Amino acid sequence: MAPYCVLAARLRHALNSGIRRYHVAPVLCQRAKVAMSHFEPNDHINYEKLEKNINIVRKRLDRPLTLSEKIVYGHLDDPAKQEIERGKTYLRLRPDRVAMQDATAQMAMLQFISSGLPKVAVPSTIHCDHLIEAQSGGENDLRRAKDINKEVYNFLATAGAKYGVGFWKPGSGIIHQIILENYSYPGVMLIGTDSHTPNGGGLGGICIGVGGADAVDVMAGIPWELKCPKVIGVKLTGKLSGWSSPKDVILKVAGILTVKGGTGAIIEYHGPGVDSISCTGMATICNMGAEIGATTSIFPYNERMKKYLGKTGRADIAALADEFKQHLVPDSGCHYDQVIEINLSELKPHINGPFTPDLAHPVSDIGAVAEKEGWPLDIRVGLIGSCTNSSYEDMGRSVAVAKQALAHGLKCKSKFTVTPGSEQIRATIERDGYAKILRDLGGLVLANACGPCIGQWDRKDIKKGEKNTIVTSYNRNFTGRNDANPETHAFVTSPEIVTALSIAGTLKFNPETDYLTGADGKKFKLEAPDADELPKMEFDPGQDTYQYPPKDGSGQHVDVSPTSQRLQLLEPFDKWDGKDLEDMLILIKVKGKCTTDHISAAGPWLKFRGHLDNISNNLLIGAINIENGKANSVRNALTQEFGPVPDTARYYKKMGVKWAVVGDENYGEGSSREHAALEPRHLGGRVIITKSFARIHETNLKKQGLLPLTFADPADYNKIHPVDKLSIVGLADFAPGKPLKCIIKHPNGSQETIMLNHTFNKSQIEWFQAGSALNRMKELQQKSS
């Protein structure tokens, strides 16, 4: 259907060229109201406001805008007065919606309950995907999860009903796949309590991973703050073909930028090569942008997105996006802070790892590299699916490989698992025969959930400490991430490469050049896979797993038992006493990489995500103590005995002693989990001093009233010893851009002073002074009432 204004213009022309002239009602030029999703028919896409804000900002800046600038600045709370400088100023934004996965939603909803507000201010959803452990297969694992997590699911369902939040039940699928299928659209600004929220950039949205406290701001109707991002442009030329896939684009970019190269920036893909990538392929690339520290990633609106919107029942959104397309692509001549160019025609299949997602290797080289490094060559398990690679096209390309092996009488030499991204994907691949083929190859189809990708894997084929290799189509492969075994060498690649390597059973196999031996003894070579990006028929929606919030949830009761071991109502953190932080002990000086998995482990600890005191028993248990090179073993400065990190922190808290953590580069890399900030605050921590922070974690620390500070001179990291005492001086004059002093007191009585930087703005300083961002919100509410 042609847009309304086009119809009106044509009607005017026809009438004006005739003898009689008729008045065309202005209402014909009003665009049709299009719902943001099928589940929220009364919440409409507001491209007019986006357009208005963009025009205001463009006039002010007087320059072409990148796509990400258009969408970010198009959501400014005050576009006429907002100070805008990439990498420096803090923007006050009005996101369109919020999405929360069940592990982080617990703490987010507990904080929202503490706010005292009756209902969320923007469309919001909860997705049950993190608490389902992979054991024996989808149906059994889902049934077991519903039983084990009944208390948590009931809390989330009733809290959603009371506060106006949509609830996706366990078995629905992974949050990011459901967002892509139902909620993301070109030009949307969505924040989600999961680091891989940028997946929605595959549909042209600015989708940003945050902690629960940030989500509470948006749900409370408060402008959300984000440091104005820089923009890194990735120009794609050429065309993907053969064994190369969208996953290889981001694996290549990760190798170029490293795990912190995107920090403080949005990665914006552009160029003629974009059109050779499917919509779900673009989502894969954006999803794994979290692994390079990027604020988010985005692709410009194009025909591939339009096709996906139509296939997922949102042709009306595509029609509206067509009308506003000039705002959904970058301006000609726009400026990027950095430009990377990748020729897709020359891009080779990649595999990244182990232990870090930025250690990039061409698949053709990995066997030789593994032999040289002493990494196990035999692949114990191949795992496909996850929020990164579980689309219909992904499954189809794996099936294309599987069919060839089966035709020659082969099955996987490695164990092989399949994780559908959503109930819709599961139902569709079952209907179209994909699931059967993958089972015939030896695959075990798991529940529509995160599973092994986040450590929810009851792995039985190895013992802890046993050195082994796995290959996955996941996004993250930190030490112990998938199975809690620090000796598991996890490699990340595309689903089709995982499938090929699982059939061969070794890292030394290169499907582009090497041969397999069929059951008949004859050698054959796998052909490059090809598959439909979308099903020929409509998607099969599968089971109905969505719970609408009632129009009035005020009578809904939300139950949190005071004796529960999994849920705990929150108590406000103590307010700053107005004094400098003097003579703090050092809980731990961390050596090397310290991700949020090191600070607050996942896996079996996920069951305590709604109980702050219980989950605090995992505080920093994975971090390496520089004093002894061990994990979860630190010196108690009061007793001189070595013990677990959480026990030592609790002892300090009991004795009324404040403490600090000293960290290395990119501290807090990885997941958005705010528990990594809540736990140190709960156990008496006050300051985290590092060489640098990952973006989400730094914000989470600020939200909970902690001081994330960085060395003005990174070499000063070496001046602090675990037995020293630290004092932060100058807090009475704490101001944006003003460094703080740190006095280091050594055991021999000597002391030295170093300078520390921070990125606090005025409102964030108020969070610290109030004790937390939530405390500050309550103060403002009390003043306004």
Side-chain angles (χ1 to χ4, degrees):
M1 179 181 291
Y4 278 20
C5 279
V6 175
L7 289 173
R10 289 174 180 169
L11 184 54
R12 280 199 185 97
H13 176 75
L15 292 174
N16 289 341
S17 61
I19 297 174
R20 300 179 62 185
R21 297 188 179 182
Y22 295 91
H23 174 69
V24 179
V27 74
L28 285 176
C29 271
Q30 294 178 2
R31 278 112 174 185
K33 288 186 175 182
V34 176
M36 293 170 66
S37 82
H38 297 306
F39 302 101
E40 296 133 359
N42 297 320
D43 292 295
H44 301 107
I45 296 173
N46 195 346
Y47 281 149
E48 287 86 354
K49 183 179 179 182
L50 185 77
E51 181 176 58
K52 180 181 177 182
N53 286 1
I54 290 171
N55 289 338
I56 291 171
V57 173
R58 182 183 280 112
K59 185 176 180 180
R60 286 181 56 201
L61 299 182
D62 191 28
R63 62 171 173 80
L65 300 177
T66 67
L67 169 60
S68 49
E69 285 184 307
K70 288 181 181 182
I71 302 176
V72 171
Y73 304 160
H75 286 82
L76 287 171
D77 182 52
D78 186 356
K81 297 179 181 179
Q82 171 71 59
E83 188 179 357
I84 300 170
E85 186 175 357
R86 288 187 196 171
K88 293 189 177 180
T89 58
Y90 277 85
L91 307 178
R92 290 167 61 84
L93 301 162
R94 293 284 185 177
D96 298 302
R97 63 180 309 117
V98 170
M100 300 167 280
Q101 42 96 332
D102 51 355
T104 51
Q106 295 171 64
M107 196 57 68
M109 292 309 296
L110 286 166
Q111 290 177 87
F112 189 82
I113 290 169
S114 296
S115 75
L117 296 169
K119 189 175 182 178
V120 295
V122 301
S124 304
T125 50
I126 294 169
H127 303 259
C128 295
D129 63 358
H130 270 56
L131 302 179
I132 302 169
E133 185 179 47
Q135 280 190 333
S136 59
E139 290 186 12
N140 291 337
D141 294 346
L142 179 58
R143 190 181 307 113
R144 178 171 174 270
K146 287 180 178 178
D147 180 52
I148 292 173
N149 303 310
K150 184 177 180 180
E151 178 186 18
V152 172
Y153 291 148
N154 179 64
F155 165 72
L156 293 174
T158 54
K162 184 173 183 65
Y163 297 105
V165 179
F167 180 70
W168 287 86
K169 302 172 186 177
S172 302
I174 306 173
I175 177 173
H176 312 302
Q177 182 67 29
I178 292 177
I179 288 173
L180 199 71
E181 293 171 354
N182 299 282
Y183 297 117
S184 186
Y185 61 83
V188 70
M189 175 172 276
L190 178 152
I191 70 164
T193 60
D194 189 280
S195 57
H196 294 104
T197 300
N199 191 81
L203 257 178
I206 288 290
C207 302
I208 302 176
V210 299
D214 276 2
V216 171
D217 279 355
V218 181
M219 291 190 293
I222 296 172
W224 174 61
E225 290 192 350
L226 175 73
K227 180 179 276 190
C228 187
K230 294 183 179 180
V231 188
I232 297 174
V234 179
K235 183 178 180 181
L236 302 179
T237 60
K239 183 179 181 180
L240 285 173
S241 62
W243 284 92
S244 297
S245 72
K247 186 66 165 278
D248 298 308
V249 176
I250 186 57
L251 294 177
K252 179 71 173 178
V253 171
I256 294 169
L257 288 176
T258 77
V259 291
K260 63 176 184 176
T263 303
I266 293 176
I267 312 298
E268 185 172 312
Y269 293 86
H270 62 283
V274 166
D275 292 335
S276 75
I277 304 174
S278 67
C279 178
T280 52
M282 290 186 263
T284 292
I285 294 168
C286 291
N287 177 294
M288 202 175 154
E291 284 17 281
I292 55 177
T295 301
T296 191
S297 301
I298 190 170
F299 278 83
Y301 176 59
N302 66 2
E303 288 297 316
R304 306 300 278 269
M305 294 182 191
K306 182 176 181 178
K307 186 176 180 181
Y308 184 79
L309 285 168
K311 203 68 172 181
T312 52
R314 294 175 287 170
D316 53 347
I317 294 179
L320 192 64
D322 282 342
E323 192 171 344
F324 285 87
K325 186 172 181 178
Q326 72 272 24
H327 303 305
L328 305 174
V329 296
D331 287 343
S332 177
C334 64
H335 171 71
Y336 296 103
D337 295 282
Q338 179 182 352
V339 177
I340 297 168
E341 186 165 338
I342 297 175
N343 185 339
L344 300 179
S345 300
E346 298 174 353
L347 183 65
K348 288 293 186 178
H350 273 62
I351 183 168
N352 287 22
F355 307 126
T356 184
D358 59 349
L359 187 57
H361 320 272
V363 171
S364 57
D365 296 347
I366 189 62
V369 173
E371 280 187 315
K372 179 182 177 182
E373 298 293 337
W375 302 332
L377 291 171
D378 290 341
I379 298 169
R380 298 295 290 268
V381 190
L383 307 99
I384 66 168
S386 81
C387 69
T388 316
N389 278 111
S390 59
S391 69
Y392 187 82
E393 180 184 33
D394 288 327
M395 295 297 171
R397 286 175 67 87
S398 289
V399 164
V401 176
K403 283 181 176 179
Q404 297 178 64
L406 291 169
H408 288 83
L410 297 185
K411 291 189 175 183
C412 287
K413 288 185 179 179
S414 311
K415 290 182 180 294
F416 187 57
T417 68
V418 180
T419 303
S422 69
E423 170 61 9
Q424 178 169 277
I425 291 295
R426 183 208 64 80
T428 305
I429 66 171
E430 289 286 1
R431 180 197 68 193
D432 293 353
Y434 284 7
K436 181 182 184 304
I437 292 169
L438 294 172
R439 288 192 188 97
D440 290 345
L441 190 69
L444 174 66
V445 179
L446 301 174
N448 315 321
C450 299
C453 184
I454 60 162
Q456 285 285 54
W457 187 13
D458 185 20
R459 190 177 180 190
K460 302 292 189 183
D461 64 300
I462 60 161
K463 295 178 182 179
K464 191 168 183 178
E466 182 180 345
K467 198 172 179 180
N468 74 103
T469 284
I470 64 174
V471 293
T472 82
S473 69
Y474 302 165
N475 45 43
R476 199 163 276 166
N477 59 345
F478 302 136
T479 302
R481 166 80 178 185
N482 304 118
D483 60 3
N485 179 11
E487 289 301 321
T488 293
H489 293 56
F491 295 85
V492 176
T493 186
S494 67
E496 53 265 45
I497 294 293
V498 171
T499 306
L501 293 178
S502 299
I503 293 166
T506 175
L507 284 178
K508 292 191 73 174
F509 180 69
N510 176 10
E512 288 190 300
T513 58
D514 295 344
Y515 286 79
L516 294 168
T517 301
D520 58 2
K522 295 180 180 178
K523 292 186 178 296
F524 71 98
K525 191 156 74 79
L526 294 170
E527 297 295 327
D530 188 27
D532 294 331
E533 64 180 282
L534 295 165
K536 290 183 171 63
M537 295 186 287
E538 297 305 310
F539 277 109
D540 184 338
Q543 300 179 42
D544 182 7
T545 54
Y546 180 72
Q547 172 185 294
Y548 286 86
K551 290 183 178 179
D552 182 5
S554 58
Q556 178 71 51
H557 179 65
V558 180
D559 185 31
V560 177
S561 169
T563 60
S564 172
Q565 293 301 300
R566 296 198 61 177
L567 296 166
Q568 180 186 48
L569 293 174
L570 297 174
E571 295 292 331
F573 288 131
D574 58 297
K575 190 172 181 177
W576 177 57
D577 61 8
K579 300 177 182 178
D580 288 335
L581 296 168
E582 297 184 343
D583 293 331
M584 291 181 294
L585 300 179
I586 297 172
L587 177 66
I588 183 173
K589 181 180 179 182
V590 178
K591 178 183 178 181
K593 185 185 283 284
C594 189
T595 71
T596 48
D597 281 310
H598 293 91
I599 304 168
S600 176
W605 291 95
L606 283 170
K607 61 179 173 285
F608 297 125
R609 284 286 181 86
H611 197 294
L612 180 54
D613 193 56
N614 282 345
I615 199 169
S616 293
N617 289 322
N618 76 0
L619 174 65
L620 285 158
I621 61 175
I624 301 301
N625 179 11
I626 199 169
E627 185 175 7
N628 57 12
K630 295 180 180 180
N632 203 24
S633 174
V634 295
R635 183 194 300 272
N636 184 320
L638 302 180
T639 67
Q640 296 304 309
E641 296 177 353
F642 279 84
V645 182
D647 294 358
T648 307
R650 287 186 185 278
Y651 186 86
Y652 291 163
K653 181 180 180 180
K654 179 181 176 181
M655 302 304 293
V657 176
K658 297 181 176 66
W659 52 263
V661 170
V662 178
D664 211 317
E665 293 276 7
N666 207 33
Y667 184 89
E669 170 191 343
S671 171
S672 69
R673 69 189 67 150
E674 64 180 340
H675 299 76
L678 284 159
E679 292 174 35
R681 183 74 165 95
H682 174 64
L683 295 185
R686 286 295 182 269
V687 180
I688 314 291
I689 306 171
T690 72
K691 293 180 182 177
S692 62
F693 287 97
R695 174 191 63 85
I696 300 176
H697 186 61
E698 181 179 15
T699 301
N700 286 346
L701 291 168
K702 292 177 182 177
K703 287 278 185 178
Q704 304 307 334
L706 283 149
L707 283 176
L709 305 173
T710 56
F711 296 103
D713 180 357
D716 287 344
Y717 168 86
N718 298 316
K719 293 181 179 179
I720 297 178
H721 305 287
V723 293
D724 293 337
K725 291 183 179 180
L726 305 178
S727 296
I728 306 300
V729 178
L731 290 176
D733 299 317
F734 194 17
K738 185 176 181 180
L740 293 168
K741 291 182 180 179
C742 175
I743 299 174
I744 307 169
K745 296 181 180 179
H746 302 299
N748 63 7
S750 65
Q751 65 183 45
E752 54 188 315
T753 300
I754 62 174
M755 301 305 295
L756 301 174
N757 293 330
H758 66 85
T759 60
F760 282 81
N761 63 15
K762 184 176 181 296
S763 63
Q764 292 169 348
I765 290 173
E766 291 173 353
W767 300 345
F768 167 73
Q769 293 169 338
S772 71
L774 187 58
N775 288 0
R776 181 57 177 160
M777 180 195 298
K778 291 179 181 179
E779 288 179 357
L780 294 173
Q781 287 174 354
Q782 291 169 357
K783 287 180 180 179
S784 65
S785 62

